[in-house]
Amino acid sequence: MCAMARPRKPLLSTDRIVQTARALVDAEGLQAVSTRRLAAELGVSGPSLYNHFRTKDEILEAVADSVSAQVDLSMFEDGRDWRTALHDWAVSYRSALRDHPNVVPVLAHGPGRRPAGLRLADAVYGAMVDAGWSPAQATSIGALMRYFIMGSALGSFAAGFVDDASAYDPADYPHLGQAHLLAEQQDKIDERAFETGLTALLDGLERQYGQPEPGARP
């Protein structure tokens, strides 16, 4: 009889490392990632990771970029007007961050050298300049939208209230009589808050559209 071949372990690859690290970050946070832990999860020796990444920070950068790569950018290429494109991009960006909230602190440092992050920044900036915004205004819009989207993904407003009515004594908090009910409607409240803020931002930008930037010479 022929001996049965042993099942081969999946080959170690950059994608496998990133996927495994992202799953760890999603489940346990950034602090869960170490080369030793990753090697154990992947069933390999620790030094083999260094053929793909030199440091833990490089791994986390790659994880962050894999999240940026999930953001849809097609709205900047298919003829949508700048306001609609910004809205649809912001919704897609927030969705990606909501799926991977623990990686937001890494993304908040900016794109650095991350390819997907740079493509994202390039798409937004290019679309705004093509729509008629000045380069300076386009840069400010990209920064403004990033601040807003990142901030919305850092935590939940509704989840910050405990579901114990006794915590909100009307003598001390006369307007928080229903605050204990917020947590159970967390998704609805946070979604509505995001859309309210996004609409307000876009309304403000639309009022500025076509106007000279502050401080610019006539």
Side-chain angles (χ1 to χ4, degrees), residues 1-93:
M1 294 179 63
C2 295
M4 293 182 64
R6 293 181 179 179
R8 295 180 59 188
K9 290 182 179 179
L11 293 175
L12 189 62
S13 66
T14 298
D15 286 345
R16 273 194 73 213
I17 296 170
V18 171
Q19 290 171 11
T20 302
R22 188 173 63 224
L24 277 176
V25 172
D26 287 344
E28 302 178 34
L30 294 168
Q31 72 283 352
V33 177
S34 67
T35 52
R36 178 179 296 181
R37 177 75 184 277
L38 271 177
E41 294 284 337
L42 290 161
V44 299
S45 63
S48 62
L49 296 178
Y50 296 116
N51 294 323
H52 301 271
F53 296 99
R54 291 175 297 177
T55 64
K56 168 186 168 179
D57 286 343
E58 282 192 0
I59 295 171
L60 292 178
E61 287 289 310
V63 169
D65 210 39
S66 74
V67 174
S68 294
Q70 296 175 14
V71 181
D72 183 15
L73 300 177
S74 64
M75 64 285 297
F76 298 119
E77 302 170 352
D78 61 10
R80 274 173 262 192
D81 65 90
W82 69 265
R83 176 182 173 130
T84 302
L86 270 186
H87 174 277
D88 295 349
W89 167 72
V91 170
S92 177
Y93 200 172

Coordinates of all heavy atoms in Angstrom, one line a residue, residues 1-93:
M1 N 0.8 -1.2 0.0 CA 0.0 0.0 0.0 C 0.9 1.2 0.0 O 1.9 1.3 0.6 CB -0.9 0.0 1.2 CG -1.9 -1.1 1.3 SD -2.9 -1.0 2.7 CE -3.7 0.6 2.5
C2 N 0.4 2.2 -0.7 CA 1.1 3.5 -0.7 C 0.8 4.3 0.6 O -0.4 4.4 1.0 CB 0.7 4.4 -1.9 SG 1.2 3.6 -3.5
A3 N 1.8 4.9 1.2 CA 1.6 5.7 2.4 C 0.8 6.9 2.0 O 1.0 7.5 0.9 CB 2.9 6.1 3.0
M4 N -0.1 7.3 2.8 CA -0.9 8.5 2.6 C 0.0 9.7 2.8 O 0.7 9.8 3.8 CB -2.1 8.5 3.5 CG -3.1 7.4 3.3 SD -4.6 7.6 4.3 CE -5.2 9.2 3.8
A5 N -0.1 10.6 1.9 CA 0.6 11.9 2.0 C 0.1 12.7 3.1 O -1.1 12.8 3.4 CB 0.5 12.7 0.7
R6 N 1.0 13.3 3.9 CA 0.6 14.2 4.9 C 0.0 15.4 4.4 O 0.4 16.0 3.4 CB 1.8 14.5 5.8 CG 2.4 13.4 6.6 CD 3.5 13.9 7.4 NE 4.1 12.8 8.2 CZ 5.2 12.9 9.0 NH1 5.8 14.1 9.1 NH2 5.6 11.9 9.7
P7 N -1.1 15.9 5.0 CA -1.7 17.2 4.5 C -0.7 18.3 4.7 O 0.0 18.4 5.7 CB -2.9 17.4 5.5 CG -2.6 16.5 6.7 CD -1.8 15.4 6.2
R8 N -0.6 19.1 3.6 CA 0.3 20.2 3.7 C -0.3 21.4 4.4 O -1.4 21.7 4.3 CB 0.7 20.6 2.2 CG 1.4 19.6 1.4 CD 1.7 20.1 0.0 NE 2.5 21.3 0.1 CZ 2.8 22.0 -1.0 NH1 2.2 21.7 -2.2 NH2 3.5 23.1 -0.9
K9 N 0.6 22.0 5.2 CA 0.1 23.3 5.8 C 0.0 24.4 4.7 O 0.8 24.4 3.8 CB 1.1 23.7 6.9 CG 1.2 22.9 8.1 CD 2.2 23.4 9.1 CE 2.2 22.6 10.3 NZ 3.2 23.1 11.3
P10 N -1.0 25.2 4.9 CA -1.0 26.3 3.9 C 0.3 27.2 3.9 O 0.9 27.4 5.0 CB -2.2 27.2 4.4 CG -3.0 26.2 5.3 CD -2.0 25.3 5.9
L11 N 0.7 27.5 2.8 CA 1.9 28.3 2.7 C 1.8 29.7 3.4 O 0.7 30.3 3.3 CB 2.3 28.5 1.2 CG 2.7 27.3 0.4 CD1 3.0 27.7 -1.0 CD2 4.0 26.7 1.0
L12 N 2.8 30.1 4.1 CA 2.7 31.4 4.7 C 2.9 32.5 3.7 O 3.7 32.4 2.8 CB 3.9 31.5 5.7 CG 3.9 32.7 6.6 CD1 2.6 32.7 7.5 CD2 5.1 32.8 7.5
S13 N 2.0 33.4 3.8 CA 2.0 34.5 2.8 C 1.7 35.8 3.5 O 1.2 35.8 4.6 CB 0.9 34.3 1.7 OG -0.4 34.3 2.2
T14 N 2.0 36.9 2.9 CA 1.6 38.2 3.4 C 0.1 38.3 3.7 O -0.3 38.8 4.8 CB 2.1 39.3 2.5 OG1 3.5 39.3 2.3 CG2 1.7 40.7 3.0
D15 N -0.7 37.9 2.8 CA -2.1 38.0 2.9 C -2.6 37.2 4.1 O -3.4 37.6 4.9 CB -2.9 37.5 1.7 CG -2.8 38.5 0.5 OD1 -2.4 39.6 0.8 OD2 -3.1 38.1 -0.6
R16 N -2.0 35.9 4.3 CA -2.4 35.1 5.5 C -2.1 35.8 6.8 O -2.8 35.8 7.8 CB -1.8 33.8 5.4 CG -2.5 32.7 4.6 CD -1.9 31.3 4.9 NE -2.4 30.9 6.3 CZ -1.6 30.1 7.0 NH1 -0.4 29.7 6.7 NH2 -2.1 29.7 8.2
I17 N -0.9 36.4 6.8 CA -0.5 37.1 8.0 C -1.4 38.2 8.4 O -1.8 38.4 9.5 CB 1.0 37.6 7.9 CG1 1.9 36.4 7.8 CG2 1.4 38.4 9.1 CD1 3.4 36.8 7.4
V18 N -1.7 39.0 7.3 CA -2.5 40.2 7.5 C -4.0 39.8 7.9 O -4.5 40.4 8.9 CB -2.6 41.1 6.3 CG1 -3.6 42.2 6.4 CG2 -1.2 41.7 6.0
Q19 N -4.5 38.8 7.3 CA -5.9 38.3 7.6 C -5.9 37.8 9.1 O -6.9 38.1 9.8 CB -6.3 37.2 6.7 CG -6.6 37.7 5.3 CD -6.8 36.6 4.3 OE1 -7.0 35.4 4.7 NE2 -6.8 36.9 3.0
T20 N -4.9 37.1 9.5 CA -4.9 36.5 10.8 C -4.7 37.6 11.9 O -5.3 37.7 12.9 CB -3.7 35.5 11.0 OG1 -3.9 34.5 10.0 CG2 -3.7 34.9 12.4
A21 N -3.8 38.6 11.6 CA -3.6 39.7 12.5 C -4.9 40.6 12.6 O -5.2 41.0 13.7 CB -2.4 40.6 12.0
R22 N -5.5 40.8 11.5 CA -6.8 41.6 11.5 C -7.8 40.9 12.3 O -8.6 41.5 13.1 CB -7.3 41.8 10.1 CG -8.5 42.8 10.0 CD -8.8 43.1 8.6 NE -9.2 41.9 7.9 CZ -8.9 41.6 6.6 NH1 -8.0 42.4 5.9 NH2 -9.3 40.5 6.0
A23 N -7.9 39.6 12.2 CA -8.9 38.8 13.0 C -8.6 39.0 14.5 O -9.5 39.1 15.4 CB -8.9 37.4 12.6
L24 N -7.3 38.9 14.9 CA -6.9 39.1 16.3 C -7.3 40.5 16.8 O -7.8 40.7 17.9 CB -5.4 38.9 16.4 CG -4.9 37.5 16.6 CD1 -3.4 37.5 16.6 CD2 -5.5 36.9 17.8
V25 N -7.0 41.5 15.9 CA -7.3 42.9 16.3 C -8.8 43.1 16.5 O -9.3 43.7 17.4 CB -6.8 43.9 15.3 CG1 -7.3 45.3 15.5 CG2 -5.2 43.9 15.2
D26 N -9.6 42.5 15.6 CA -11.0 42.6 15.6 C -11.5 42.0 16.9 O -12.4 42.5 17.6 CB -11.7 41.9 14.4 CG -11.5 42.7 13.2 OD1 -11.2 43.9 13.2 OD2 -11.8 42.1 12.1
A27 N -11.0 40.8 17.3 CA -11.5 40.1 18.4 C -11.0 40.6 19.8 O -11.7 40.6 20.8 CB -11.1 38.6 18.3
E28 N -9.7 41.0 19.8 CA -9.1 41.3 21.1 C -8.4 42.6 21.2 O -7.9 43.0 22.3 CB -8.1 40.2 21.4 CG -8.7 38.8 21.5 CD -7.6 37.7 21.8 OE1 -6.7 38.0 22.5 OE2 -7.8 36.6 21.2
G29 N -8.3 43.4 20.1 CA -7.7 44.7 20.2 C -6.2 44.7 19.7 O -5.6 43.6 19.5
L30 N -5.6 45.8 19.5 CA -4.3 46.0 19.0 C -3.3 45.3 19.8 O -2.3 44.7 19.4 CB -3.9 47.4 18.8 CG -4.7 48.2 17.8 CD1 -4.5 49.7 18.0 CD2 -4.4 47.8 16.4
Q31 N -3.5 45.3 21.2 CA -2.5 44.7 22.1 C -2.4 43.2 21.9 O -1.4 42.6 22.4 CB -2.9 45.0 23.5 CG -4.1 44.3 24.1 CD -5.4 44.9 23.6 OE1 -5.4 45.9 23.0 NE2 -6.5 44.2 24.0
A32 N -3.3 42.6 21.3 CA -3.3 41.1 21.1 C -2.2 40.7 20.1 O -1.8 39.5 20.1 CB -4.7 40.6 20.7
V33 N -1.8 41.6 19.2 CA -0.9 41.2 18.1 C 0.5 41.2 18.6 O 1.0 42.2 19.1 CB -1.1 42.2 16.9 CG1 -0.1 41.8 15.8 CG2 -2.5 42.1 16.4
S34 N 1.2 40.1 18.5 CA 2.6 40.0 18.7 C 3.1 39.0 17.7 O 2.4 38.1 17.2 CB 3.0 39.6 20.1 OG 2.5 38.2 20.4
T35 N 4.4 39.0 17.4 CA 4.9 38.0 16.5 C 4.8 36.6 17.0 O 4.5 35.7 16.3 CB 6.4 38.3 16.2 OG1 7.2 38.4 17.4 CG2 6.6 39.6 15.4
R36 N 5.0 36.5 18.3 CA 4.8 35.1 18.9 C 3.4 34.6 18.8 O 3.1 33.5 18.4 CB 5.2 35.2 20.4 CG 5.0 33.8 21.1 CD 5.5 33.9 22.6 NE 6.9 34.2 22.7 CZ 7.6 34.3 23.8 NH1 6.9 34.2 25.0 NH2 8.9 34.6 23.8
R37 N 2.4 35.5 19.1 CA 1.0 35.1 19.0 C 0.6 34.8 17.6 O -0.1 33.8 17.3 CB 0.1 36.2 19.6 CG -1.4 36.0 19.5 CD -1.9 35.0 20.5 NE -3.3 34.7 20.4 CZ -4.3 35.4 20.9 NH1 -4.0 36.5 21.6 NH2 -5.5 35.1 20.7
L38 N 1.1 35.6 16.7 CA 0.7 35.4 15.3 C 1.3 34.1 14.8 O 0.6 33.3 14.0 CB 1.2 36.6 14.4 CG 0.3 37.8 14.2 CD1 1.0 38.8 13.4 CD2 -1.0 37.4 13.5
A39 N 2.5 33.8 15.1 CA 3.2 32.6 14.7 C 2.4 31.4 15.2 O 2.2 30.4 14.5 CB 4.6 32.6 15.2
A40 N 1.9 31.5 16.5 CA 1.2 30.4 17.0 C -0.2 30.2 16.3 O -0.6 29.1 16.0 CB 0.9 30.6 18.5
E41 N -0.8 31.3 16.0 CA -2.1 31.2 15.2 C -1.9 30.7 13.8 O -2.8 30.0 13.3 CB -2.7 32.6 15.1 CG -3.1 33.2 16.5 CD -4.4 32.6 17.0 OE1 -5.2 32.1 16.2 OE2 -4.6 32.7 18.2
L42 N -0.8 31.0 13.2 CA -0.5 30.5 11.9 C 0.1 29.1 11.8 O 0.2 28.6 10.7 CB 0.4 31.5 11.2 CG -0.2 32.9 10.8 CD1 0.8 34.0 10.6 CD2 -1.2 32.8 9.6
G43 N 0.6 28.6 13.0 CA 1.2 27.3 13.0 C 2.6 27.3 12.4 O 3.0 26.3 11.7
V44 N 3.3 28.4 12.6 CA 4.7 28.5 12.0 C 5.6 29.0 13.1 O 5.2 29.3 14.2 CB 4.7 29.5 10.8 CG1 3.8 29.1 9.7 CG2 4.4 31.0 11.3
S45 N 6.9 29.0 12.8 CA 7.9 29.6 13.8 C 7.9 31.1 13.7 O 7.7 31.6 12.6 CB 9.3 29.0 13.5 OG 9.7 29.4 12.2
G46 N 8.2 31.7 14.8 CA 8.2 33.2 14.8 C 9.1 33.8 13.7 O 8.7 34.7 13.0
P47 N 10.4 33.3 13.6 CA 11.3 33.9 12.6 C 10.8 33.9 11.2 O 11.2 34.8 10.4 CB 12.6 33.1 12.8 CG 12.5 32.6 14.2 CD 11.1 32.3 14.4
S48 N 9.9 33.0 10.9 CA 9.4 32.9 9.5 C 8.6 34.2 9.1 O 8.4 34.5 7.9 CB 8.6 31.7 9.3 OG 7.4 31.7 10.1
L49 N 8.0 34.8 10.1 CA 7.2 36.1 9.9 C 8.1 37.2 9.3 O 7.7 38.0 8.6 CB 6.5 36.5 11.1 CG 5.5 35.6 11.7 CD1 4.9 36.3 13.0 CD2 4.3 35.4 10.8
Y50 N 9.4 37.1 9.7 CA 10.3 38.2 9.3 C 10.7 38.2 7.8 O 11.3 39.1 7.3 CB 11.5 38.2 10.2 CG 11.2 38.5 11.7 CD1 11.4 37.5 12.6 CD2 10.7 39.7 12.0 CE1 11.1 37.7 14.0 CE2 10.4 39.9 13.4 CZ 10.6 39.0 14.3 OH 10.3 39.2 15.6
N51 N 10.3 37.1 7.2 CA 10.5 37.1 5.7 C 9.4 38.0 5.0 O 9.6 38.3 3.8 CB 10.3 35.6 5.2 CG 11.4 34.7 5.7 OD1 12.6 35.2 5.8 ND2 11.1 33.5 5.9
H52 N 8.4 38.4 5.8 CA 7.3 39.2 5.2 C 7.2 40.6 5.9 O 6.9 41.5 5.2 CB 6.0 38.4 5.3 CG 6.0 37.1 4.7 ND1 5.6 36.9 3.4 CD2 6.3 35.9 5.1 CE1 5.7 35.7 3.0 NE2 6.1 35.0 4.1
F53 N 7.5 40.6 7.1 CA 7.4 41.9 7.9 C 8.6 42.0 8.9 O 8.9 41.0 9.5 CB 6.1 42.0 8.7 CG 4.8 42.0 7.8 CD1 4.1 40.8 7.6 CD2 4.4 43.2 7.2 CE1 2.9 40.9 6.8 CE2 3.3 43.2 6.4 CZ 2.5 42.1 6.2
R54 N 9.1 43.1 9.0 CA 10.3 43.3 9.8 C 9.9 43.5 11.3 O 10.6 43.1 12.2 CB 11.1 44.5 9.4 CG 11.9 44.3 8.0 CD 12.6 45.5 7.6 NE 11.6 46.6 7.4 CZ 12.0 47.9 7.0 NH1 13.2 48.2 6.9 NH2 11.0 48.8 6.8
T55 N 8.7 44.1 11.5 CA 8.3 44.5 12.9 C 6.8 44.3 13.1 O 6.1 44.2 12.1 CB 8.7 45.9 13.2 OG1 7.9 46.8 12.4 CG2 10.1 46.3 13.0
K56 N 6.4 44.3 14.3 CA 5.0 44.2 14.6 C 4.3 45.5 14.1 O 3.1 45.4 13.6 CB 4.8 44.2 16.1 CG 3.4 44.4 16.6 CD 3.3 44.5 18.1 CE 1.9 45.0 18.6 NZ 1.8 45.1 20.1
D57 N 4.9 46.6 14.1 CA 4.3 47.9 13.6 C 4.0 47.8 12.1 O 3.0 48.3 11.6 CB 5.2 49.1 13.9 CG 5.2 49.5 15.4 OD1 4.3 49.1 16.1 OD2 6.1 50.2 15.8
E58 N 4.9 47.1 11.4 CA 4.7 46.9 10.0 C 3.4 46.1 9.7 O 2.7 46.3 8.8 CB 5.9 46.3 9.3 CG 7.0 47.3 9.0 CD 8.1 46.7 8.1 OE1 7.9 45.5 7.7 OE2 9.0 47.4 7.8
I59 N 3.3 45.1 10.6 CA 2.1 44.2 10.5 C 0.8 45.0 10.7 O -0.2 44.9 10.0 CB 2.2 43.0 11.4 CG1 3.3 42.1 11.1 CG2 0.9 42.2 11.5 CD1 3.6 41.0 12.1
L60 N 0.8 45.8 11.8 CA -0.4 46.7 12.1 C -0.6 47.7 11.0 O -1.8 48.0 10.7 CB -0.2 47.3 13.4 CG -0.2 46.4 14.6 CD1 0.1 47.2 15.9 CD2 -1.5 45.6 14.7
E61 N 0.4 48.2 10.4 CA 0.2 49.1 9.2 C -0.5 48.4 8.1 O -1.4 48.9 7.4 CB 1.6 49.7 8.8 CG 2.2 50.7 9.7 CD 1.4 52.0 9.7 OE1 1.1 52.6 8.6 OE2 1.1 52.5 10.8
A62 N -0.1 47.2 7.8 CA -0.7 46.4 6.8 C -2.1 46.0 7.1 O -3.0 46.0 6.2 CB 0.1 45.1 6.5
V63 N -2.4 45.8 8.3 CA -3.8 45.5 8.8 C -4.6 46.7 8.5 O -5.7 46.7 8.0 CB -3.8 45.1 10.2 CG1 -5.3 45.1 10.7 CG2 -3.2 43.7 10.4
A64 N -4.1 47.9 8.9 CA -4.8 49.1 8.7 C -5.1 49.4 7.2 O -6.2 49.8 6.8 CB -4.1 50.3 9.3
D65 N -4.1 49.1 6.4 CA -4.3 49.3 5.0 C -5.3 48.4 4.4 O -6.0 48.7 3.4 CB -2.9 49.2 4.3 CG -2.8 50.1 3.0 OD1 -3.4 51.2 3.1 OD2 -2.3 49.7 2.0
S66 N -5.4 47.2 4.9 CA -6.3 46.2 4.4 C -7.8 46.7 4.7 O -8.7 46.4 3.9 CB -6.1 44.8 5.0 OG -6.5 44.8 6.4
V67 N -7.9 47.5 5.8 CA -9.2 48.0 6.1 C -9.5 49.2 5.1 O -10.6 49.3 4.6 CB -9.3 48.5 7.5 CG1 -10.6 49.3 7.8 CG2 -9.2 47.3 8.5
S68 N -8.5 50.1 4.9 CA -8.7 51.1 3.9 C -9.1 50.6 2.5 O -9.9 51.2 1.8 CB -7.4 52.0 3.8 OG -7.2 52.7 5.0
A69 N -8.6 49.4 2.2 CA -8.8 48.8 0.9 C -10.3 48.4 0.7 O -10.7 48.2 -0.4 CB -7.9 47.7 0.6
Q70 N -11.0 48.3 1.8 CA -12.4 47.9 1.8 C -13.3 49.1 1.5 O -14.5 48.9 1.2 CB -12.8 47.3 3.1 CG -12.1 46.0 3.5 CD -12.4 45.5 4.8 OE1 -13.4 45.9 5.5 NE2 -11.6 44.6 5.3
V71 N -12.8 50.3 1.5 CA -13.6 51.5 1.2 C -13.9 51.6 -0.3 O -12.9 51.6 -1.1 CB -12.9 52.7 1.8 CG1 -13.8 54.0 1.5 CG2 -12.6 52.6 3.3
D72 N -15.1 51.8 -0.7 CA -15.5 51.9 -2.1 C -15.1 53.3 -2.6 O -15.3 54.3 -1.9 CB -17.0 51.8 -2.2 CG -17.5 51.9 -3.6 OD1 -16.7 51.8 -4.6 OD2 -18.7 52.0 -3.8
L73 N -14.4 53.4 -3.7 CA -14.0 54.6 -4.3 C -14.6 54.8 -5.7 O -14.3 55.8 -6.4 CB -12.5 54.6 -4.5 CG -11.6 54.5 -3.2 CD1 -10.1 54.5 -3.5 CD2 -11.9 55.7 -2.2
S74 N -15.5 54.0 -6.1 CA -16.1 54.0 -7.4 C -16.9 55.3 -7.6 O -17.1 55.8 -8.8 CB -17.0 52.8 -7.7 OG -18.1 52.8 -6.8
M75 N -17.4 55.9 -6.6 CA -18.3 57.1 -6.7 C -17.5 58.3 -7.2 O -18.1 59.3 -7.7 CB -18.9 57.4 -5.4 CG -18.0 57.8 -4.2 SD -17.1 56.4 -3.5 CE -18.4 55.5 -2.8
F76 N -16.2 58.2 -7.2 CA -15.4 59.3 -7.7 C -15.0 59.1 -9.2 O -14.4 60.0 -9.8 CB -14.1 59.5 -6.9 CG -14.3 59.8 -5.4 CD1 -13.9 58.9 -4.4 CD2 -15.0 61.0 -5.1 CE1 -14.1 59.3 -3.1 CE2 -15.2 61.3 -3.7 CZ -14.7 60.4 -2.7
E77 N -15.5 58.0 -9.7 CA -15.2 57.7 -11.1 C -16.4 57.5 -12.0 O -16.2 57.4 -13.2 CB -14.3 56.4 -11.1 CG -13.0 56.5 -10.3 CD -12.4 55.2 -10.2 OE1 -13.0 54.2 -10.6 OE2 -11.3 55.1 -9.6
D78 N -17.6 57.5 -11.4 CA -18.7 57.1 -12.3 C -19.7 58.3 -12.6 O -20.8 58.1 -13.0 CB -19.5 56.0 -11.6 CG -20.0 56.3 -10.2 OD1 -20.0 57.5 -9.8 OD2 -20.5 55.4 -9.5
G79 N -19.2 59.5 -12.4 CA -20.0 60.7 -12.8 C -20.9 61.3 -11.7 O -21.6 62.2 -12.0
R80 N -20.8 60.8 -10.5 CA -21.6 61.4 -9.5 C -21.1 62.8 -9.1 O -19.9 63.0 -9.2 CB -21.6 60.5 -8.2 CG -22.7 59.4 -8.2 CD -22.5 58.5 -7.0 NE -21.8 57.3 -7.4 CZ -21.7 56.2 -6.6 NH1 -22.2 56.1 -5.4 NH2 -21.0 55.1 -7.1
D81 N -22.0 63.7 -8.8 CA -21.6 65.0 -8.5 C -20.8 65.0 -7.2 O -20.9 64.0 -6.4 CB -22.8 66.0 -8.3 CG -23.7 65.6 -7.2 OD1 -23.5 66.0 -6.0 OD2 -24.6 64.8 -7.4
W82 N -20.0 66.0 -6.9 CA -19.1 66.0 -5.8 C -19.8 65.8 -4.4 O -19.2 65.0 -3.6 CB -18.2 67.3 -5.7 CG -19.0 68.5 -5.4 CD1 -19.5 69.4 -6.2 CD2 -19.2 69.0 -4.0 NE1 -20.1 70.4 -5.5 CE2 -19.9 70.2 -4.2 CE3 -18.9 68.5 -2.8 CZ2 -20.4 70.9 -3.1 CZ3 -19.4 69.2 -1.7 CH2 -20.1 70.4 -1.8
R83 N -20.9 66.4 -4.2 CA -21.6 66.2 -3.0 C -22.1 64.8 -2.8 O -21.9 64.2 -1.7 CB -22.8 67.2 -2.9 CG -23.6 67.0 -1.6 CD -24.8 67.8 -1.4 NE -25.6 67.4 -0.2 CZ -26.0 68.3 0.7 NH1 -25.7 69.5 0.6 NH2 -26.6 67.8 1.7
T84 N -22.7 64.2 -3.8 CA -23.2 62.8 -3.7 C -22.0 61.9 -3.5 O -22.1 60.9 -2.7 CB -24.0 62.4 -5.0 OG1 -25.1 63.3 -5.1 CG2 -24.5 61.0 -4.9
A85 N -20.9 62.1 -4.2 CA -19.8 61.3 -4.1 C -19.2 61.3 -2.7 O -18.8 60.3 -2.1 CB -18.7 61.7 -5.2
L86 N -19.1 62.5 -2.2 CA -18.5 62.6 -0.8 C -19.4 61.9 0.2 O -19.0 61.2 1.1 CB -18.4 64.1 -0.4 CG -17.1 64.8 -0.7 CD1 -17.2 66.2 0.0 CD2 -15.9 64.1 -0.1
H87 N -20.7 62.0 0.0 CA -21.7 61.4 0.9 C -21.5 59.8 0.9 O -21.4 59.2 1.9 CB -23.1 61.8 0.6 CG -24.1 61.0 1.4 ND1 -24.6 59.7 1.0 CD2 -24.8 61.3 2.5 CE1 -25.5 59.3 1.9 NE2 -25.6 60.2 2.8
D88 N -21.5 59.3 -0.4 CA -21.5 57.9 -0.5 C -20.1 57.3 -0.1 O -20.1 56.2 0.5 CB -21.7 57.5 -2.0 CG -23.2 57.9 -2.4 OD1 -24.0 58.2 -1.6 OD2 -23.4 57.9 -3.6
W89 N -19.1 58.1 -0.3 CA -17.7 57.6 0.2 C -17.7 57.6 1.7 O -17.2 56.7 2.3 CB -16.7 58.6 -0.4 CG -15.3 58.4 0.3 CD1 -14.5 57.4 0.1 CD2 -14.7 59.3 1.2 NE1 -13.4 57.6 0.9 CE2 -13.5 58.8 1.5 CE3 -15.1 60.6 1.7 CZ2 -12.6 59.4 2.4 CZ3 -14.3 61.2 2.6 CH2 -13.0 60.6 2.9
A90 N -18.2 58.6 2.3 CA -18.2 58.7 3.8 C -19.0 57.5 4.4 O -18.5 57.0 5.4 CB -18.8 60.0 4.2
V91 N -20.1 57.2 3.8 CA -20.9 56.1 4.3 C -20.1 54.8 4.1 O -20.1 53.9 5.1 CB -22.2 56.0 3.5 CG1 -22.9 54.6 3.9 CG2 -23.1 57.1 3.9
S92 N -19.4 54.6 3.0 CA -18.6 53.4 2.8 C -17.4 53.3 3.8 O -17.1 52.3 4.3 CB -18.1 53.3 1.4 OG -17.3 52.2 1.2
Y93 N -16.8 54.5 4.0 CA -15.6 54.5 4.8 C -16.1 54.2 6.3 O -15.4 53.4 7.0 CB -15.1 55.9 4.8 CG -13.6 56.1 5.2 CD1 -13.0 57.3 5.1 CD2 -12.9 55.1 5.9 CE1 -11.7 57.5 5.5 CE2 -11.6 55.2 6.3 CZ -11.0 56.4 6.1 OH -9.7 56.6 6.5

